[in-house]
Amino acid sequence: MEQFHPGTMHWDTAGEYRNLLVAGSALVLQTMHPAVGAAVAEHSTYKQDPWGRLNRTLTSVQKWVYGGAEGLEEGRRLREIHAPISGTDEQGRSYHALNGEAYAWVHLTLFERFITLHRYFGKPYSAEQERLLYAESRQLGRILRVPEREVPPTVEEFWPYFDEMVASRLEPHPTALEVLATMRGTPVPPMVPRALRKIWTPVGMGSGEFNYFVTVGTLPPAVREVLGLSWSARDERRLLRLGRAVAALTPHLPERARYLPIAYRARRAARRRRELSPAQ
């Protein structure tokens, strides 16, 4: 199975810190699917250990793209740990974490979030770049063992699929609403010293409001409507100003400050291999 390498779009973008700007909205989109929302509510540790869950998710995502053979193993591991997750939700509907539609939805929201991230916080992708990124997303789906029958074959077919999912399958699931509510009061990170934890409250509230603002603003309007979230023209102007600042700053950051640790180390190692290759 083909793996990601320097020169692919995911190699250049998937490990950037600015992806954190759409991490919250990705979780909201995912948990609006009833099967995903129920599975997360019953089996996830995001409420008890939000920072741990975030760290584990970021590590997993980086392995998919930057881990080489380790990425393939991570895809297998994820299938195995999700296999026993099943049950009945609060409405009496049965769910399973490996339900094909739900598993594909979780994966495909990442593609849509990449597009949204670059529309707000970078340079919007051209139609050709979207096609290339989607082809790579299908490649990533194979690494994660997403059923191909559930994945639209082309990017042109993806957008009607996405709109139909929002219109007919997503709902204001209690888990998605709880994710939004929890976001507004960012919990104390475990690395903050005990002596400083008492002063975290105002910091956490400010950080939480920022995360909530960016999350709500980057959700598609149709999704905000399903969730009953308000968003004004003034809010949109504020988000666009923020996005222009992030887009202008990001290319000038040193690589260590721009990329998450696993991504940074993989990119550095790949450069060293290329530099040594002619000499060898």
Side-chain angles (χ1 to χ4, degrees):
M1 187 180 299
E2 187 178 356
Q3 299 163 16
F4 293 97
H5 54 79
T8 59
M9 294 184 71
H10 277 72
W11 186 270
D12 286 337
T13 62
E16 289 187 310
Y17 275 108
R18 64 177 161 178
N19 288 302
L20 295 175
L21 292 165
V22 294
S25 54
L27 184 57
V28 171
L29 281 170
Q30 291 161 6
T31 53
M32 288 176 70
H33 189 289
V36 181
V40 169
E42 293 295 323
H43 302 277
S44 175
T45 61
Y46 84 95
K47 287 186 286 189
Q48 299 87 352
D49 182 24
W51 290 104
R53 185 197 188 277
L54 176 62
N55 183 62
R56 289 188 293 274
T57 298
L58 293 175
T59 297
S60 184
V61 170
Q62 289 179 88
K63 285 181 180 179
W64 306 342
V65 177
Y66 302 100
E70 193 177 359
L72 302 179
E73 173 59 24
E74 181 65 7
R76 183 198 62 78
R77 186 188 72 84
L78 288 174
R79 291 284 301 189
E80 286 187 356
I81 66 173
H82 283 88
I85 297 177
S86 62
T88 304
D89 70 9
E90 68 284 350
Q91 295 186 36
R93 299 173 295 190
S94 61
Y95 68 85
H96 194 290
L98 293 184
N99 169 276
E101 179 191 85
Y103 206 66
W105 174 249
V106 170
H107 165 58
L108 290 168
T109 56
L110 301 181
F111 168 75
E112 189 276 340
R113 290 291 86 190
F114 274 136
I115 299 298
T116 298
L117 175 74
H118 282 264
R119 186 169 69 247
Y120 277 102
F121 302 106
K123 183 179 180 181
Y125 288 133
S126 67
E128 181 56 34
Q129 286 174 315
E130 276 197 21
R131 281 192 287 273
L132 178 57
L133 185 67
Y134 189 71
E136 290 186 12
S137 182
R138 284 176 54 82
Q139 174 187 336
L140 178 57
R142 290 189 283 273
I143 291 174
L144 299 178
R145 306 187 183 192
V146 175
E148 289 207 32
R149 68 182 182 276
E150 300 288 350
V151 179
T154 67
V155 71
E156 289 80 10
E157 293 167 276
F158 168 80
W159 294 112
Y161 153 85
F162 184 86
D163 292 342
E164 178 61 23
M165 288 292 290
V166 173
S168 65
R169 293 294 288 135
L170 301 195
E171 60 186 45
H173 196 278
T175 303
L177 296 173
E178 188 170 34
V179 168
L180 283 165
T182 302
M183 195 177 294
R184 302 192 86 153
T186 305
V188 183
M191 69 286 295
V192 173
R194 184 177 299 275
L196 299 179
R197 294 193 167 206
K198 290 184 178 179
I199 66 173
W200 174 259
T201 299
V203 176
M205 289 180 64
S207 173
E209 288 301 321
F210 173 82
N211 290 335
Y212 181 84
F213 171 77
V214 172
T215 295
V216 172
T218 57
L219 286 171
V223 172
R224 288 198 296 263
E225 185 174 347
V226 171
L227 292 170
L229 301 172
S230 61
W231 186 254
S232 68
R234 180 173 177 270
D235 291 330
E236 185 69 14
R237 289 193 296 271
R238 289 173 58 205
L239 182 61
L240 290 172
R241 286 196 297 270
L242 172 65
R244 286 193 293 270
V246 172
L249 173 64
T250 298
H252 301 289
L253 291 173
E255 190 172 37
R256 185 184 290 274
R258 181 173 175 176
Y259 286 90
L260 291 154
I262 293 175
Y264 168 71
R265 291 194 294 270
R267 290 171 61 85
R268 184 178 60 177
R271 274 198 310 276
R272 287 178 176 172
R273 288 193 296 270
R274 288 199 304 272
E275 291 166 359
L276 289 172
S277 182
Q280 294 173 343

